[in-house]
Amino acid sequence: MIARPILLLLALMPLLARGQRVREPELSLKGDLTLPVPLSPRLFDDITENIGRVGLRLQYPFAKGLGAGVGGDATWFGIEERSLLPYAVSGEIFRACYFGQVQYEHYTGERAFYELAAEAGLADYRYRSSLADPVPRSTGFHWGVHMGYYLHASEQLAFCLRLGYGTDDVYLTPDRLGVTEFPGRIVDGPQGPYRFLTIGLGFSTGFGRSRGTEVDW
């Protein structure tokens, strides 16, 4: 009676070992679609509405999950038309960001891995306001961190839940929107820097050599 469970366990050991095999990170293209949540300045959150953010990164692992990459993202905010009454301001604020990054990736199993990354680069803001002509522009240093947890849908494609934080050394002033003041608000000088929390979904496409039928997807 005791020998039967032992024999069953011995028979299952190759399958259990196969399930615990750990992959190695590889050259990959990662993208994400997230919602930016402004943390500061508070005035920016008051006069804009979130539209969305898309990002793309090319990453290469060097050793033991450590690697580096380059990427960029684009973010759109709509200007709340009634937020600056008696000024009737419409338009959008477009943010482009270009950065380099270092990351750590680790597989927790055959089909799942997590990523921790830090990035630094340049943020470029363009204020397309109905009262401003030509389009005002501001640039500043950007840095941020993010993490993601990925699950493979196939051998070379994985999807993730992504959470990040970033800050831009850029400041908001009334002339950026084509007005002389922020009506109804007490402000003391330029407002900033910009800080954001981002949450959303992403994907990862690997460019490593296929392992054929090694894994039953």
Side-chain angles (χ1 to χ4, degrees), residues 59-82:
Q59 299 181 190
Y60 180 77
F62 292 115
K64 297 182 179 180
L66 292 175
V70 293
D73 59 61
T75 312
W76 291 265
F77 299 93
I79 300 175
E80 292 277 6
E81 187 172 355
R82 300 180 60 85

Side-chain angles (χ1 to χ4, degrees), residues 112-128:
F113 68 96
Y114 65 84
E115 174 191 58
L116 304 173
E119 62 191 41
L122 180 71
D124 180 11
Y125 285 75
R126 301 189 182 188
Y127 303 84
R128 297 188 173 97

Side-chain angles (χ1 to χ4, degrees), residues 105-119:
E105 297 175 275
H106 178 72
Y107 273 86
T108 58
E110 184 64 45
R111 298 172 182 248
F113 68 96
Y114 65 84
E115 174 191 58
L116 304 173
E119 62 191 41

Side-chain angles (χ1 to χ4, degrees), residues 38-61:
L39 300 178
S40 71
R42 179 63 180 273
L43 177 63
F44 183 82
D45 190 30
D46 289 344
I47 65 176
T48 62
E49 58 181 354
N50 297 334
I51 297 178
R53 173 188 174 277
V54 294
L56 204 62
R57 292 166 284 135
L58 183 64
Q59 299 181 190
Y60 180 77

Side-chain angles (χ1 to χ4, degrees), residues 12 15 28 30 33 40 52 78-80 87 90-91 111-112 122 124 135 145 156 164 178 180-181 191 205 213:
L12 290 176
L15 296 177
S28 61
K30 289 184 170 64
L33 176 61
S40 71
I79 300 175
E80 292 277 6
Y87 300 108
S90 61
R111 298 172 182 248
L122 180 71
D124 180 11
V135 176
V145 294
Q156 300 296 342
T180 58
E181 62 178 349
Q191 301 297 295
T205 301
T213 58

